[in-house]
Amino acid sequence: MRQIVIAIASVLIAATHAYAQGGDFTTGTPAADGKTNEGGVVFINPGTPVLRDNEINSQPVPRLPDGHVDLTGPWVGGGAIADIERDGGLKAGELPLLPWAKELRDKRKSQDDPYTACMPMGPLRTNPYPWKLVMSYTSKGLTHIFILHELMDDGVHRTVFMDGRKHPAGMIPSWVGHSIGRWDGDALVVDTVGFNDKFWFDRRGTPHTDQLHIVERYTRPNYGTLVNDVTLEDPGALAHPVTLQFKSRLMRPDRETGSGDLMEFICNEDNQYGSAGGFRPGTGAGNGPAK
């Protein structure tokens, strides 16, 4: 009974961000069952309503009290999902993976993705749920930016230090690395190092090493769009640095629920996410709907 209740609750939470695959992403029309099956992996995909094309330039780009462009959001999209090569604007075969990295990617199966077991996403990866940047001000001005995802525990909760500090000399490798940021005119530049090698860049299984170095440049060209131009450097897995671009769309509040911000959504394997996705306990996260 508890499992059924949790499953229902999870679907209701997802349904408040009316949905995408099989539905209309721009209007929030839900898919038939609010779930997607890709390569045998079933995941909740209710879709999040975003601004329509005719609303993208409906208002001026907002600014913060200190004069900088307001990048806070919440946003939808803006990262890799199935294939970082395709999602980042590259053609097939343009990601300069070293032979060992390409061989590893080709051997991996999406159902083994650490993310499907509620492990954290790394930077540059996203999901169907909204995310936002939160600006933290003190008497010294803007000191931190927090990047928060709706899918809480396995979303990318990053801290970007804006107080002028450098990367520490003895970093402990982590899922999201160590990020420092600065403003370059109206662009927010985020430099991140100190990664472990555990997360996948996408469901395809694109790997990296602990030599990974990511530089992101966030800009807001209009009211409804956030652009992230990324330089990806990893001498352990890439033959040379590569440039990617991801775009996000501003979330549109749902008139029926009043939701216009992040909600609470916890990923617990074989519990909230697993039950609602129809996963069978003890057989992994990629087995498809329970029979």
Side-chain angles (χ1 to χ4, degrees):
M1 177 61 72
R2 178 177 178 273
Q3 189 177 40
I4 295 174
V5 171
I6 293 173
I8 294 173
S10 182
V11 171
L12 289 175
I13 290 172
T16 58
H17 288 320
Y19 257 106
Q21 187 143 347
D24 187 332
F25 184 73
T26 61
T27 63
T29 303
D33 61 0
K35 293 183 289 187
T36 295
N37 187 324
E38 290 191 5
V41 177
V42 180
F43 60 95
I44 304 168
N45 185 16
T48 300
V50 296
L51 293 187
R52 301 180 179 90
D53 289 343
N54 62 1
E55 299 173 314
I56 294 298
N57 290 295
S58 60
Q59 300 182 41
V61 175
R63 291 187 177 271
L64 299 167
D66 61 8
H68 289 120
V69 171
D70 185 351
L71 303 176
T72 53
W75 305 99
V76 179
I81 300 180
D83 185 345
I84 190 173
E85 196 168 51
R86 182 194 66 196
D87 299 337
L90 301 179
K91 297 178 181 179
E94 286 189 334
L95 194 65
L97 290 173
L98 294 176
W100 76 265
K102 185 178 185 303
E103 181 181 0
L104 177 59
R105 182 189 64 182
D106 293 345
K107 288 181 178 178
R108 284 174 165 174
K109 298 180 179 180
S110 58
Q111 57 262 40
D112 297 325
D113 182 354
Y115 177 58
T116 66
C118 296
M119 302 303 288
M121 298 187 299
L124 307 188
R125 189 159 178 183
T126 190
N127 53 36
Y129 313 107
W131 61 277
K132 68 187 302 182
L133 295 97
V134 178
M135 310 291 181
S136 178
Y137 287 85
T138 71
S139 59
K140 297 180 180 180
L142 177 61
T143 59
H144 299 75
I145 295 176
F146 301 100
I147 302 177
L148 309 179
H149 280 247
E150 181 168 289
L151 189 53
M152 304 167 81
D153 46 357
D154 64 337
V156 185
H157 292 187
R158 299 170 61 191
T159 300
V160 180
F161 297 101
M162 299 290 294
D163 54 5
R165 73 182 67 188
K166 305 296 183 183
H167 293 304
M171 288 181 290
I172 299 174
S174 64
W175 291 85
V176 298
H178 184 273
S179 299
I180 54 176
R182 61 181 177 84
W183 290 103
D184 181 13
D186 282 343
L188 172 65
V189 180
V190 180
D191 184 294
T192 309
V193 294
F195 296 101
N196 62 34
D197 61 357
K198 298 181 183 300
F199 65 85
W200 295 8
F201 275 128
D202 49 33
R203 285 201 295 273
R204 187 180 180 186
T206 303
H208 66 282
T209 72
D210 57 8
Q211 300 177 61
L212 177 63
H213 179 197
I214 298 175
V215 178
E216 302 162 274
R217 187 179 180 89
Y218 292 92
T219 56
R220 189 173 185 173
N222 54 50
Y223 174 66
T225 307
L226 183 71
V227 177
N228 187 11
D229 290 294
V230 179
T231 299
L232 197 65
E233 182 179 9
D234 185 354
L238 300 175
H240 56 78
V242 64
T243 300
L244 309 167
Q245 185 181 86
F246 302 100
K247 293 184 179 180
S248 306
R249 186 71 68 95
L250 188 65
M251 180 181 175
R252 174 171 54 85
D254 186 282
R255 292 186 177 89
E256 293 185 5
T257 65
S259 173
D261 214 319
L262 308 190
M263 300 182 68
E264 181 180 282
F265 185 7
I266 307 298
C267 176
N268 293 319
E269 189 177 13
D270 294 326
N271 191 348
Q272 187 174 49
Y273 178 89
S275 297
F279 302 153
R280 297 191 299 276
T283 57
N287 50 65
K291 302 298 184 181

PDB file of all heavy atoms in Angstrom, residues 61 69-71 75 131 133 183-189 216-229 245-248:
ATOM      1  N   VAL A  61      14.821  42.316 -21.165  1.00  0.00           N
ATOM      2  CA  VAL A  61      15.655  41.461 -20.323  1.00  0.00           C
ATOM      3  C   VAL A  61      15.778  42.131 -18.953  1.00  0.00           C
ATOM      4  O   VAL A  61      16.226  43.266 -18.850  1.00  0.00           O
ATOM      5  CB  VAL A  61      17.047  41.267 -20.945  1.00  0.00           C
ATOM      6  CG1 VAL A  61      17.948  40.486 -20.002  1.00  0.00           C
ATOM      7  CG2 VAL A  61      16.932  40.550 -22.288  1.00  0.00           C
ATOM      8  N   VAL A  69      22.645  41.537 -15.565  1.00  0.00           N
ATOM      9  CA  VAL A  69      21.483  40.857 -16.138  1.00  0.00           C
ATOM     10  C   VAL A  69      20.972  39.791 -15.166  1.00  0.00           C
ATOM     11  O   VAL A  69      21.764  39.058 -14.551  1.00  0.00           O
ATOM     12  CB  VAL A  69      21.861  40.220 -17.487  1.00  0.00           C
ATOM     13  CG1 VAL A  69      20.739  39.324 -17.982  1.00  0.00           C
ATOM     14  CG2 VAL A  69      22.145  41.293 -18.523  1.00  0.00           C
ATOM     15  N   ASP A  70      19.664  39.711 -15.026  1.00  0.00           N
ATOM     16  CA  ASP A  70      19.047  38.712 -14.150  1.00  0.00           C
ATOM     17  C   ASP A  70      18.983  37.382 -14.893  1.00  0.00           C
ATOM     18  O   ASP A  70      18.222  37.214 -15.848  1.00  0.00           O
ATOM     19  CB  ASP A  70      17.645  39.177 -13.768  1.00  0.00           C
ATOM     20  CG  ASP A  70      16.974  38.252 -12.761  1.00  0.00           C
ATOM     21  OD1 ASP A  70      17.522  37.160 -12.492  1.00  0.00           O
ATOM     22  OD2 ASP A  70      15.897  38.619 -12.249  1.00  0.00           O
ATOM     23  N   LEU A  71      19.770  36.425 -14.453  1.00  0.00           N
ATOM     24  CA  LEU A  71      19.832  35.114 -15.086  1.00  0.00           C
ATOM     25  C   LEU A  71      19.092  34.042 -14.278  1.00  0.00           C
ATOM     26  O   LEU A  71      19.192  32.860 -14.581  1.00  0.00           O
ATOM     27  CB  LEU A  71      21.300  34.670 -15.239  1.00  0.00           C
ATOM     28  CG  LEU A  71      22.235  35.604 -16.013  1.00  0.00           C
ATOM     29  CD1 LEU A  71      23.659  35.056 -15.975  1.00  0.00           C
ATOM     30  CD2 LEU A  71      21.775  35.773 -17.449  1.00  0.00           C
ATOM     31  N   TRP A  75      14.473  27.961 -15.402  1.00  0.00           N
ATOM     32  CA  TRP A  75      14.678  27.590 -16.785  1.00  0.00           C
ATOM     33  C   TRP A  75      14.375  26.109 -17.005  1.00  0.00           C
ATOM     34  O   TRP A  75      14.399  25.318 -16.064  1.00  0.00           O
ATOM     35  CB  TRP A  75      16.124  27.864 -17.196  1.00  0.00           C
ATOM     36  CG  TRP A  75      16.558  29.274 -16.959  1.00  0.00           C
ATOM     37  CD1 TRP A  75      17.289  29.746 -15.906  1.00  0.00           C
ATOM     38  CD2 TRP A  75      16.262  30.399 -17.784  1.00  0.00           C
ATOM     39  NE1 TRP A  75      17.474  31.104 -16.043  1.00  0.00           N
ATOM     40  CE2 TRP A  75      16.859  31.540 -17.166  1.00  0.00           C
ATOM     41  CE3 TRP A  75      15.572  30.574 -18.986  1.00  0.00           C
ATOM     42  CZ2 TRP A  75      16.772  32.813 -17.718  1.00  0.00           C
ATOM     43  CZ3 TRP A  75      15.473  31.841 -19.534  1.00  0.00           C
ATOM     44  CH2 TRP A  75      16.067  32.945 -18.902  1.00  0.00           C
ATOM     45  N   TRP A 131      15.085  24.318 -13.454  1.00  0.00           N
ATOM     46  CA  TRP A 131      16.219  24.613 -12.596  1.00  0.00           C
ATOM     47  C   TRP A 131      16.395  26.129 -12.557  1.00  0.00           C
ATOM     48  O   TRP A 131      15.790  26.855 -13.347  1.00  0.00           O
ATOM     49  CB  TRP A 131      17.494  23.934 -13.105  1.00  0.00           C
ATOM     50  CG  TRP A 131      17.899  24.369 -14.479  1.00  0.00           C
ATOM     51  CD1 TRP A 131      17.417  23.900 -15.666  1.00  0.00           C
ATOM     52  CD2 TRP A 131      18.856  25.378 -14.807  1.00  0.00           C
ATOM     53  NE1 TRP A 131      18.005  24.547 -16.713  1.00  0.00           N
ATOM     54  CE2 TRP A 131      18.899  25.452 -16.223  1.00  0.00           C
ATOM     55  CE3 TRP A 131      19.682  26.223 -14.053  1.00  0.00           C
ATOM     56  CZ2 TRP A 131      19.731  26.360 -16.899  1.00  0.00           C
ATOM     57  CZ3 TRP A 131      20.514  27.105 -14.725  1.00  0.00           C
ATOM     58  CH2 TRP A 131      20.542  27.168 -16.129  1.00  0.00           C
ATOM     59  N   LEU A 133      19.103  29.663 -11.131  1.00  0.00           N
ATOM     60  CA  LEU A 133      20.276  30.225 -10.475  1.00  0.00           C
ATOM     61  C   LEU A 133      19.791  31.136  -9.359  1.00  0.00           C
ATOM     62  O   LEU A 133      18.901  31.964  -9.559  1.00  0.00           O
ATOM     63  CB  LEU A 133      21.135  31.033 -11.459  1.00  0.00           C
ATOM     64  CG  LEU A 133      21.793  30.250 -12.592  1.00  0.00           C
ATOM     65  CD1 LEU A 133      20.948  30.358 -13.858  1.00  0.00           C
ATOM     66  CD2 LEU A 133      23.189  30.780 -12.872  1.00  0.00           C
ATOM     67  N   TRP A 183      31.781  38.161 -13.650  1.00  0.00           N
ATOM     68  CA  TRP A 183      31.011  38.818 -14.702  1.00  0.00           C
ATOM     69  C   TRP A 183      31.948  39.336 -15.774  1.00  0.00           C
ATOM     70  O   TRP A 183      32.993  39.902 -15.483  1.00  0.00           O
ATOM     71  CB  TRP A 183      30.191  39.975 -14.137  1.00  0.00           C
ATOM     72  CG  TRP A 183      29.054  39.564 -13.259  1.00  0.00           C
ATOM     73  CD1 TRP A 183      29.012  39.625 -11.891  1.00  0.00           C
ATOM     74  CD2 TRP A 183      27.798  39.033 -13.674  1.00  0.00           C
ATOM     75  NE1 TRP A 183      27.813  39.150 -11.430  1.00  0.00           N
ATOM     76  CE2 TRP A 183      27.033  38.789 -12.511  1.00  0.00           C
ATOM     77  CE3 TRP A 183      27.227  38.743 -14.922  1.00  0.00           C
ATOM     78  CZ2 TRP A 183      25.751  38.269 -12.548  1.00  0.00           C
ATOM     79  CZ3 TRP A 183      25.945  38.226 -14.964  1.00  0.00           C
ATOM     80  CH2 TRP A 183      25.209  37.987 -13.794  1.00  0.00           C
ATOM     81  N   ASP A 184      31.580  39.137 -17.017  1.00  0.00           N
ATOM     82  CA  ASP A 184      32.264  39.728 -18.162  1.00  0.00           C
ATOM     83  C   ASP A 184      31.215  40.497 -18.940  1.00  0.00           C
ATOM     84  O   ASP A 184      30.563  39.961 -19.831  1.00  0.00           O
ATOM     85  CB  ASP A 184      32.898  38.633 -19.031  1.00  0.00           C
ATOM     86  CG  ASP A 184      33.639  39.211 -20.235  1.00  0.00           C
ATOM     87  OD1 ASP A 184      33.865  40.439 -20.266  1.00  0.00           O
ATOM     88  OD2 ASP A 184      33.984  38.439 -21.152  1.00  0.00           O
ATOM     89  N   GLY A 185      31.019  41.764 -18.561  1.00  0.00           N
ATOM     90  CA  GLY A 185      29.910  42.525 -19.108  1.00  0.00           C
ATOM     91  C   GLY A 185      28.602  41.909 -18.656  1.00  0.00           C
ATOM     92  O   GLY A 185      28.365  41.724 -17.459  1.00  0.00           O
ATOM     93  N   ASP A 186      27.747  41.548 -19.616  1.00  0.00           N
ATOM     94  CA  ASP A 186      26.464  40.920 -19.286  1.00  0.00           C
ATOM     95  C   ASP A 186      26.536  39.398 -19.282  1.00  0.00           C
ATOM     96  O   ASP A 186      25.507  38.726 -19.212  1.00  0.00           O
ATOM     97  CB  ASP A 186      25.397  41.369 -20.293  1.00  0.00           C
ATOM     98  CG  ASP A 186      24.890  42.774 -19.994  1.00  0.00           C
ATOM     99  OD1 ASP A 186      25.100  43.259 -18.863  1.00  0.00           O
ATOM    100  OD2 ASP A 186      24.277  43.382 -20.895  1.00  0.00           O
ATOM    101  N   ALA A 187      27.724  38.847 -19.352  1.00  0.00           N
ATOM    102  CA  ALA A 187      27.885  37.391 -19.348  1.00  0.00           C
ATOM    103  C   ALA A 187      28.419  36.925 -17.998  1.00  0.00           C
ATOM    104  O   ALA A 187      29.310  37.541 -17.416  1.00  0.00           O
ATOM    105  CB  ALA A 187      28.837  36.954 -20.456  1.00  0.00           C
ATOM    106  N   LEU A 188      27.872  35.825 -17.507  1.00  0.00           N
ATOM    107  CA  LEU A 188      28.389  35.173 -16.309  1.00  0.00           C
ATOM    108  C   LEU A 188      29.320  34.053 -16.751  1.00  0.00           C
ATOM    109  O   LEU A 188      28.896  33.121 -17.452  1.00  0.00           O
ATOM    110  CB  LEU A 188      27.244  34.598 -15.472  1.00  0.00           C
ATOM    111  CG  LEU A 188      27.656  33.718 -14.285  1.00  0.00           C
ATOM    112  CD1 LEU A 188      28.416  34.524 -13.247  1.00  0.00           C
ATOM    113  CD2 LEU A 188      26.435  33.035 -13.660  1.00  0.00           C
ATOM    114  N   VAL A 189      30.581  34.130 -16.350  1.00  0.00           N
ATOM    115  CA  VAL A 189      31.575  33.129 -16.727  1.00  0.00           C
ATOM    116  C   VAL A 189      31.854  32.249 -15.513  1.00  0.00           C
ATOM    117  O   VAL A 189      32.219  32.745 -14.446  1.00  0.00           O
ATOM    118  CB  VAL A 189      32.878  33.788 -17.219  1.00  0.00           C
ATOM    119  CG1 VAL A 189      33.900  32.722 -17.606  1.00  0.00           C
ATOM    120  CG2 VAL A 189      32.589  34.720 -18.398  1.00  0.00           C
ATOM    121  N   GLU A 216      31.951  27.795 -18.602  1.00  0.00           N
ATOM    122  CA  GLU A 216      30.621  28.131 -19.110  1.00  0.00           C
ATOM    123  C   GLU A 216      30.461  29.647 -19.191  1.00  0.00           C
ATOM    124  O   GLU A 216      30.937  30.372 -18.330  1.00  0.00           O
ATOM    125  CB  GLU A 216      29.552  27.556 -18.188  1.00  0.00           C
ATOM    126  CG  GLU A 216      29.621  26.047 -18.015  1.00  0.00           C
ATOM    127  CD  GLU A 216      28.855  25.584 -16.796  1.00  0.00           C
ATOM    128  OE1 GLU A 216      29.453  25.583 -15.693  1.00  0.00           O
ATOM    129  OE2 GLU A 216      27.670  25.240 -16.926  1.00  0.00           O
ATOM    130  N   ARG A 217      29.740  30.070 -20.220  1.00  0.00           N
ATOM    131  CA  ARG A 217      29.475  31.498 -20.406  1.00  0.00           C
ATOM    132  C   ARG A 217      27.960  31.658 -20.604  1.00  0.00           C
ATOM    133  O   ARG A 217      27.415  31.356 -21.665  1.00  0.00           O
ATOM    134  CB  ARG A 217      30.241  32.028 -21.610  1.00  0.00           C
ATOM    135  CG  ARG A 217      30.153  33.532 -21.793  1.00  0.00           C
ATOM    136  CD  ARG A 217      30.977  33.978 -23.008  1.00  0.00           C
ATOM    137  NE  ARG A 217      30.908  35.416 -23.200  1.00  0.00           N
ATOM    138  CZ  ARG A 217      31.727  36.288 -22.648  1.00  0.00           C
ATOM    139  NH1 ARG A 217      32.715  35.853 -21.868  1.00  0.00           N
ATOM    140  NH2 ARG A 217      31.589  37.582 -22.869  1.00  0.00           N
ATOM    141  N   TYR A 218      27.283  32.110 -19.542  1.00  0.00           N
ATOM    142  CA  TYR A 218      25.832  32.267 -19.560  1.00  0.00           C
ATOM    143  C   TYR A 218      25.451  33.666 -20.012  1.00  0.00           C
ATOM    144  O   TYR A 218      25.936  34.670 -19.465  1.00  0.00           O
ATOM    145  CB  TYR A 218      25.251  32.047 -18.160  1.00  0.00           C
ATOM    146  CG  TYR A 218      25.346  30.645 -17.622  1.00  0.00           C
ATOM    147  CD1 TYR A 218      26.432  30.246 -16.839  1.00  0.00           C
ATOM    148  CD2 TYR A 218      24.337  29.713 -17.854  1.00  0.00           C
ATOM    149  CE1 TYR A 218      26.516  28.960 -16.318  1.00  0.00           C
ATOM    150  CE2 TYR A 218      24.412  28.419 -17.331  1.00  0.00           C
ATOM    151  CZ  TYR A 218      25.504  28.054 -16.566  1.00  0.00           C
ATOM    152  OH  TYR A 218      25.578  26.789 -16.051  1.00  0.00           O
ATOM    153  N   THR A 219      24.560  33.763 -20.995  1.00  0.00           N
ATOM    154  CA  THR A 219      24.033  35.055 -21.449  1.00  0.00           C
ATOM    155  C   THR A 219      22.517  34.940 -21.636  1.00  0.00           C
ATOM    156  O   THR A 219      21.991  33.842 -21.859  1.00  0.00           O
ATOM    157  CB  THR A 219      24.676  35.496 -22.785  1.00  0.00           C
ATOM    158  OG1 THR A 219      24.491  34.465 -23.768  1.00  0.00           O
ATOM    159  CG2 THR A 219      26.158  35.781 -22.612  1.00  0.00           C
ATOM    160  N   ARG A 220      21.849  36.069 -21.545  1.00  0.00           N
ATOM    161  CA  ARG A 220      20.402  36.109 -21.735  1.00  0.00           C
ATOM    162  C   ARG A 220      20.096  37.075 -22.881  1.00  0.00           C
ATOM    163  O   ARG A 220      19.908  38.276 -22.669  1.00  0.00           O
ATOM    164  CB  ARG A 220      19.706  36.554 -20.444  1.00  0.00           C
ATOM    165  CG  ARG A 220      18.181  36.429 -20.481  1.00  0.00           C
ATOM    166  CD  ARG A 220      17.569  36.721 -19.115  1.00  0.00           C
ATOM    167  NE  ARG A 220      16.134  36.484 -19.121  1.00  0.00           N
ATOM    168  CZ  ARG A 220      15.342  36.525 -18.035  1.00  0.00           C
ATOM    169  NH1 ARG A 220      15.870  36.794 -16.849  1.00  0.00           N
ATOM    170  NH2 ARG A 220      14.046  36.301 -18.131  1.00  0.00           N
ATOM    171  N   PRO A 221      20.031  36.587 -24.122  1.00  0.00           N
ATOM    172  CA  PRO A 221      19.861  37.473 -25.271  1.00  0.00           C
ATOM    173  C   PRO A 221      18.483  38.106 -25.366  1.00  0.00           C
ATOM    174  O   PRO A 221      18.313  39.127 -26.030  1.00  0.00           O
ATOM    175  CB  PRO A 221      20.134  36.559 -26.469  1.00  0.00           C
ATOM    176  CG  PRO A 221      19.783  35.185 -25.971  1.00  0.00           C
ATOM    177  CD  PRO A 221      20.184  35.177 -24.524  1.00  0.00           C
ATOM    178  N   ASN A 222      17.492  37.483 -24.736  1.00  0.00           N
ATOM    179  CA  ASN A 222      16.144  38.043 -24.712  1.00  0.00           C
ATOM    180  C   ASN A 222      15.446  37.584 -23.441  1.00  0.00           C
ATOM    181  O   ASN A 222      16.022  36.855 -22.629  1.00  0.00           O
ATOM    182  CB  ASN A 222      15.359  37.647 -25.966  1.00  0.00           C
ATOM    183  CG  ASN A 222      15.345  36.137 -26.188  1.00  0.00           C
ATOM    184  OD1 ASN A 222      15.043  35.366 -25.273  1.00  0.00           O
ATOM    185  ND2 ASN A 222      15.694  35.708 -27.396  1.00  0.00           N
ATOM    186  N   TYR A 223      14.192  37.993 -23.286  1.00  0.00           N
ATOM    187  CA  TYR A 223      13.484  37.723 -22.045  1.00  0.00           C
ATOM    188  C   TYR A 223      13.332  36.236 -21.757  1.00  0.00           C
ATOM    189  O   TYR A 223      13.470  35.797 -20.606  1.00  0.00           O
ATOM    190  CB  TYR A 223      12.096  38.369 -22.098  1.00  0.00           C
ATOM    191  CG  TYR A 223      11.216  38.050 -20.924  1.00  0.00           C
ATOM    192  CD1 TYR A 223      11.542  38.511 -19.645  1.00  0.00           C
ATOM    193  CD2 TYR A 223      10.059  37.270 -21.077  1.00  0.00           C
ATOM    194  CE1 TYR A 223      10.733  38.205 -18.553  1.00  0.00           C
ATOM    195  CE2 TYR A 223       9.255  36.971 -20.000  1.00  0.00           C
ATOM    196  CZ  TYR A 223       9.592  37.433 -18.739  1.00  0.00           C
ATOM    197  OH  TYR A 223       8.796  37.135 -17.662  1.00  0.00           O
ATOM    198  N   GLY A 224      13.092  35.424 -22.808  1.00  0.00           N
ATOM    199  CA  GLY A 224      12.744  34.033 -22.569  1.00  0.00           C
ATOM    200  C   GLY A 224      13.824  33.006 -22.809  1.00  0.00           C
ATOM    201  O   GLY A 224      13.559  31.809 -22.716  1.00  0.00           O
ATOM    202  N   THR A 225      15.061  33.441 -23.096  1.00  0.00           N
ATOM    203  CA  THR A 225      16.108  32.486 -23.465  1.00  0.00           C
ATOM    204  C   THR A 225      17.373  32.684 -22.641  1.00  0.00           C
ATOM    205  O   THR A 225      17.806  33.812 -22.418  1.00  0.00           O
ATOM    206  CB  THR A 225      16.478  32.639 -24.957  1.00  0.00           C
ATOM    207  OG1 THR A 225      15.294  32.548 -25.754  1.00  0.00           O
ATOM    208  CG2 THR A 225      17.471  31.563 -25.384  1.00  0.00           C
ATOM    209  N   LEU A 226      17.968  31.577 -22.215  1.00  0.00           N
ATOM    210  CA  LEU A 226      19.277  31.575 -21.577  1.00  0.00           C
ATOM    211  C   LEU A 226      20.208  30.716 -22.432  1.00  0.00           C
ATOM    212  O   LEU A 226      19.874  29.581 -22.776  1.00  0.00           O
ATOM    213  CB  LEU A 226      19.209  31.002 -20.163  1.00  0.00           C
ATOM    214  CG  LEU A 226      20.521  31.017 -19.359  1.00  0.00           C
ATOM    215  CD1 LEU A 226      20.869  32.460 -18.959  1.00  0.00           C
ATOM    216  CD2 LEU A 226      20.418  30.142 -18.120  1.00  0.00           C
ATOM    217  N   VAL A 227      21.364  31.264 -22.804  1.00  0.00           N
ATOM    218  CA  VAL A 227      22.336  30.559 -23.632  1.00  0.00           C
ATOM    219  C   VAL A 227      23.563  30.248 -22.794  1.00  0.00           C
ATOM    220  O   VAL A 227      24.057  31.106 -22.061  1.00  0.00           O
ATOM    221  CB  VAL A 227      22.739  31.398 -24.864  1.00  0.00           C
ATOM    222  CG1 VAL A 227      23.799  30.668 -25.678  1.00  0.00           C
ATOM    223  CG2 VAL A 227      21.520  31.698 -25.724  1.00  0.00           C
ATOM    224  N   ASN A 228      24.051  29.021 -22.900  1.00  0.00           N
ATOM    225  CA  ASN A 228      25.267  28.619 -22.207  1.00  0.00           C
ATOM    226  C   ASN A 228      26.276  28.138 -23.247  1.00  0.00           C
ATOM    227  O   ASN A 228      26.128  27.053 -23.820  1.00  0.00           O
ATOM    228  CB  ASN A 228      24.984  27.514 -21.194  1.00  0.00           C
ATOM    229  CG  ASN A 228      26.194  27.178 -20.340  1.00  0.00           C
ATOM    230  OD1 ASN A 228      27.187  27.888 -20.352  1.00  0.00           O
ATOM    231  ND2 ASN A 228      26.110  26.100 -19.578  1.00  0.00           N
ATOM    232  N   ASP A 229      27.298  28.966 -23.514  1.00  0.00           N
ATOM    233  CA  ASP A 229      28.382  28.587 -24.411  1.00  0.00           C
ATOM    234  C   ASP A 229      29.484  27.957 -23.572  1.00  0.00           C
ATOM    235  O   ASP A 229      30.000  28.577 -22.639  1.00  0.00           O
ATOM    236  CB  ASP A 229      28.904  29.810 -25.163  1.00  0.00           C
ATOM    237  CG  ASP A 229      27.897  30.328 -26.185  1.00  0.00           C
ATOM    238  OD1 ASP A 229      27.625  29.599 -27.154  1.00  0.00           O
ATOM    239  OD2 ASP A 229      27.379  31.447 -26.006  1.00  0.00           O
ATOM    240  N   GLN A 245      27.136  24.440 -27.228  1.00  0.00           N
ATOM    241  CA  GLN A 245      26.170  25.464 -26.864  1.00  0.00           C
ATOM    242  C   GLN A 245      24.843  24.824 -26.485  1.00  0.00           C
ATOM    243  O   GLN A 245      24.328  23.958 -27.190  1.00  0.00           O
ATOM    244  CB  GLN A 245      25.938  26.458 -28.004  1.00  0.00           C
ATOM    245  CG  GLN A 245      25.026  27.613 -27.600  1.00  0.00           C
ATOM    246  CD  GLN A 245      24.766  28.605 -28.728  1.00  0.00           C
ATOM    247  OE1 GLN A 245      23.865  28.407 -29.537  1.00  0.00           O
ATOM    248  NE2 GLN A 245      25.551  29.667 -28.768  1.00  0.00           N
ATOM    249  N   PHE A 246      24.297  25.270 -25.336  1.00  0.00           N
ATOM    250  CA  PHE A 246      23.008  24.787 -24.866  1.00  0.00           C
ATOM    251  C   PHE A 246      22.087  25.984 -24.640  1.00  0.00           C
ATOM    252  O   PHE A 246      22.535  27.047 -24.209  1.00  0.00           O
ATOM    253  CB  PHE A 246      23.157  24.019 -23.552  1.00  0.00           C
ATOM    254  CG  PHE A 246      24.094  22.847 -23.651  1.00  0.00           C
ATOM    255  CD1 PHE A 246      25.399  22.941 -23.193  1.00  0.00           C
ATOM    256  CD2 PHE A 246      23.671  21.652 -24.197  1.00  0.00           C
ATOM    257  CE1 PHE A 246      26.267  21.864 -23.274  1.00  0.00           C
ATOM    258  CE2 PHE A 246      24.531  20.570 -24.283  1.00  0.00           C
ATOM    259  CZ  PHE A 246      25.831  20.670 -23.827  1.00  0.00           C
ATOM    260  N   LYS A 247      20.799  25.800 -24.915  1.00  0.00           N
ATOM    261  CA  LYS A 247      19.821  26.867 -24.714  1.00  0.00           C
ATOM    262  C   LYS A 247      18.703  26.393 -23.796  1.00  0.00           C
ATOM    263  O   LYS A 247      18.253  25.257 -23.876  1.00  0.00           O
ATOM    264  CB  LYS A 247      19.239  27.324 -26.051  1.00  0.00           C
ATOM    265  CG  LYS A 247      20.241  28.019 -26.956  1.00  0.00           C
ATOM    266  CD  LYS A 247      19.581  28.527 -28.229  1.00  0.00           C
ATOM    267  CE  LYS A 247      20.588  29.248 -29.116  1.00  0.00           C
ATOM    268  NZ  LYS A 247      19.962  29.762 -30.364  1.00  0.00           N
ATOM    269  N   SER A 248      18.268  27.311 -22.930  1.00  0.00           N
ATOM    270  CA  SER A 248      17.162  27.049 -22.011  1.00  0.00           C
ATOM    271  C   SER A 248      16.015  27.993 -22.329  1.00  0.00           C
ATOM    272  O   SER A 248      16.220  29.106 -22.835  1.00  0.00           O
ATOM    273  CB  SER A 248      17.602  27.263 -20.556  1.00  0.00           C
ATOM    274  OG  SER A 248      18.747  26.518 -20.252  1.00  0.00           O
TER     275      SER A 248
END
